[in-house]
PDB file of all heavy atoms in Angstrom:
ATOM      1  N   MET C 255     100.641  94.912 126.602  1.00 95.00           N
ATOM      2  CA  MET C 255     101.802  95.130 127.482  1.00 95.00           C
ATOM      3  C   MET C 255     101.674  96.530 128.038  1.00 95.00           C
ATOM      4  O   MET C 255     101.234  97.427 127.336  1.00 95.00           O
ATOM      5  CB  MET C 255     103.104  95.162 126.679  1.00 95.00           C
ATOM      6  CG  MET C 255     103.319  93.992 125.823  1.00 95.00           C
ATOM      7  SD  MET C 255     104.672  94.375 124.682  1.00 95.00           S
ATOM      8  CE  MET C 255     104.651  92.847 123.766  1.00 95.00           C
ATOM      9  N   GLU C 256     102.130  96.698 129.253  1.00 92.00           N
ATOM     10  CA  GLU C 256     102.123  98.053 129.768  1.00 92.00           C
ATOM     11  C   GLU C 256     103.177  98.882 129.039  1.00 92.00           C
ATOM     12  O   GLU C 256     102.971 100.025 128.706  1.00 92.00           O
ATOM     13  CB  GLU C 256     102.408  98.034 131.259  1.00 92.00           C
ATOM     14  CG  GLU C 256     101.417  98.856 132.048  1.00 92.00           C
ATOM     15  CD  GLU C 256     101.508  98.473 133.498  1.00 92.00           C
ATOM     16  OE1 GLU C 256     102.341  99.111 134.177  1.00 92.00           O
ATOM     17  OE2 GLU C 256     100.794  97.542 133.933  1.00 92.00           O
ATOM     18  N   ASP C 257     104.312  98.239 128.810  1.00 97.00           N
ATOM     19  CA  ASP C 257     105.430  98.974 128.228  1.00 97.00           C
ATOM     20  C   ASP C 257     106.254  97.994 127.382  1.00 97.00           C
ATOM     21  O   ASP C 257     106.917  97.111 127.926  1.00 97.00           O
ATOM     22  CB  ASP C 257     106.269  99.542 129.380  1.00 97.00           C
ATOM     23  CG  ASP C 257     107.503 100.269 128.894  1.00 97.00           C
ATOM     24  OD1 ASP C 257     107.881 100.129 127.714  1.00 97.00           O
ATOM     25  OD2 ASP C 257     108.106 100.982 129.719  1.00 97.00           O
ATOM     26  N   PRO C 258     106.208  98.127 126.082  1.00 98.00           N
ATOM     27  CA  PRO C 258     106.892  97.175 125.210  1.00 98.00           C
ATOM     28  C   PRO C 258     108.400  97.112 125.454  1.00 98.00           C
ATOM     29  O   PRO C 258     109.007  96.049 125.313  1.00 98.00           O
ATOM     30  CB  PRO C 258     106.613  97.694 123.797  1.00 98.00           C
ATOM     31  CG  PRO C 258     105.585  98.738 123.929  1.00 98.00           C
ATOM     32  CD  PRO C 258     105.490  99.169 125.343  1.00 98.00           C
ATOM     33  N   VAL C 259     108.991  98.230 125.838  1.00 98.00           N
ATOM     34  CA  VAL C 259     110.438  98.234 126.070  1.00 98.00           C
ATOM     35  C   VAL C 259     110.770  97.350 127.267  1.00 98.00           C
ATOM     36  O   VAL C 259     111.676  96.510 127.220  1.00 98.00           O
ATOM     37  CB  VAL C 259     110.940  99.677 126.287  1.00 98.00           C
ATOM     38  CG1 VAL C 259     112.386  99.684 126.743  1.00 98.00           C
ATOM     39  CG2 VAL C 259     110.767 100.484 124.994  1.00 98.00           C
ATOM     40  N   LEU C 260     109.984  97.508 128.311  1.00 98.00           N
ATOM     41  CA  LEU C 260     110.201  96.701 129.508  1.00 98.00           C
ATOM     42  C   LEU C 260     109.984  95.221 129.203  1.00 98.00           C
ATOM     43  O   LEU C 260     110.734  94.354 129.655  1.00 98.00           O
ATOM     44  CB  LEU C 260     109.222  97.170 130.586  1.00 98.00           C
ATOM     45  CG  LEU C 260     109.562  96.800 132.005  1.00 98.00           C
ATOM     46  CD1 LEU C 260     110.962  97.270 132.378  1.00 98.00           C
ATOM     47  CD2 LEU C 260     108.536  97.424 132.954  1.00 98.00           C
ATOM     48  N   PHE C 261     108.968  94.960 128.390  1.00 98.00           N
ATOM     49  CA  PHE C 261     108.675  93.587 127.993  1.00 98.00           C
ATOM     50  C   PHE C 261     109.896  92.960 127.309  1.00 98.00           C
ATOM     51  O   PHE C 261     110.286  91.833 127.620  1.00 98.00           O
ATOM     52  CB  PHE C 261     107.464  93.575 127.053  1.00 98.00           C
ATOM     53  CG  PHE C 261     107.176  92.226 126.466  1.00 98.00           C
ATOM     54  CD1 PHE C 261     106.407  91.298 127.163  1.00 98.00           C
ATOM     55  CD2 PHE C 261     107.687  91.874 125.217  1.00 98.00           C
ATOM     56  CE1 PHE C 261     106.155  90.052 126.621  1.00 98.00           C
ATOM     57  CE2 PHE C 261     107.441  90.626 124.676  1.00 98.00           C
ATOM     58  CZ  PHE C 261     106.670  89.712 125.379  1.00 98.00           C
ATOM     59  N   ILE C 262     110.497  93.710 126.410  1.00 98.00           N
ATOM     60  CA  ILE C 262     111.647  93.151 125.674  1.00 98.00           C
ATOM     61  C   ILE C 262     112.859  93.007 126.591  1.00 98.00           C
ATOM     62  O   ILE C 262     113.581  92.011 126.533  1.00 98.00           O
ATOM     63  CB  ILE C 262     111.959  94.020 124.430  1.00 98.00           C
ATOM     64  CG1 ILE C 262     110.808  93.858 123.426  1.00 98.00           C
ATOM     65  CG2 ILE C 262     113.282  93.633 123.789  1.00 98.00           C
ATOM     66  CD1 ILE C 262     110.759  94.902 122.354  1.00 98.00           C
ATOM     67  N   LYS C 263     113.043  93.969 127.478  1.00 97.00           N
ATOM     68  CA  LYS C 263     114.152  93.832 128.434  1.00 97.00           C
ATOM     69  C   LYS C 263     113.993  92.547 129.240  1.00 97.00           C
ATOM     70  O   LYS C 263     114.918  91.749 129.384  1.00 97.00           O
ATOM     71  CB  LYS C 263     114.198  95.044 129.370  1.00 97.00           C
ATOM     72  CG  LYS C 263     114.749  96.312 128.717  1.00 97.00           C
ATOM     73  CD  LYS C 263     116.251  96.220 128.544  1.00 97.00           C
ATOM     74  CE  LYS C 263     116.810  97.350 127.680  1.00 97.00           C
ATOM     75  NZ  LYS C 263     116.683  98.684 128.279  1.00 97.00           N
ATOM     76  N   LYS C 264     112.760  92.327 129.752  1.00 97.00           N
ATOM     77  CA  LYS C 264     112.539  91.145 130.594  1.00 97.00           C
ATOM     78  C   LYS C 264     112.759  89.862 129.811  1.00 97.00           C
ATOM     79  O   LYS C 264     113.364  88.917 130.312  1.00 97.00           O
ATOM     80  CB  LYS C 264     111.118  91.156 131.168  1.00 97.00           C
ATOM     81  CG  LYS C 264     110.948  92.145 132.307  1.00 97.00           C
ATOM     82  CD  LYS C 264     109.567  92.011 132.930  1.00 97.00           C
ATOM     83  CE  LYS C 264     109.378  93.070 134.019  1.00 97.00           C
ATOM     84  NZ  LYS C 264     107.959  93.212 134.385  1.00 97.00           N
ATOM     85  N   THR C 265     112.264  89.845 128.567  1.00 97.00           N
ATOM     86  CA  THR C 265     112.330  88.586 127.824  1.00 97.00           C
ATOM     87  C   THR C 265     113.732  88.322 127.268  1.00 97.00           C
ATOM     88  O   THR C 265     114.010  87.256 126.720  1.00 97.00           O
ATOM     89  CB  THR C 265     111.257  88.540 126.708  1.00 97.00           C
ATOM     90  OG1 THR C 265     111.229  87.231 126.166  1.00 97.00           O
ATOM     91  CG2 THR C 265     111.536  89.493 125.583  1.00 97.00           C
ATOM     92  N   THR C 266     114.635  89.299 127.408  1.00 96.00           N
ATOM     93  CA  THR C 266     116.027  89.065 126.989  1.00 96.00           C
ATOM     94  C   THR C 266     116.940  89.054 128.221  1.00 96.00           C
ATOM     95  O   THR C 266     118.064  89.554 128.170  1.00 96.00           O
ATOM     96  CB  THR C 266     116.500  90.157 126.006  1.00 96.00           C
ATOM     97  OG1 THR C 266     116.271  91.444 126.610  1.00 96.00           O
ATOM     98  CG2 THR C 266     115.774  90.098 124.683  1.00 96.00           C
TER      99      THR C 266
END
Side-chain angles (χ1 to χ4, degrees):
Chain C
M255 306 167 182
E256 229 164 89
D257 177 346
V259 171
L260 199 55
F261 174 85
I262 292 164
K263 285 286 170 66
K264 284 186 183 165
T265 189
T266 54

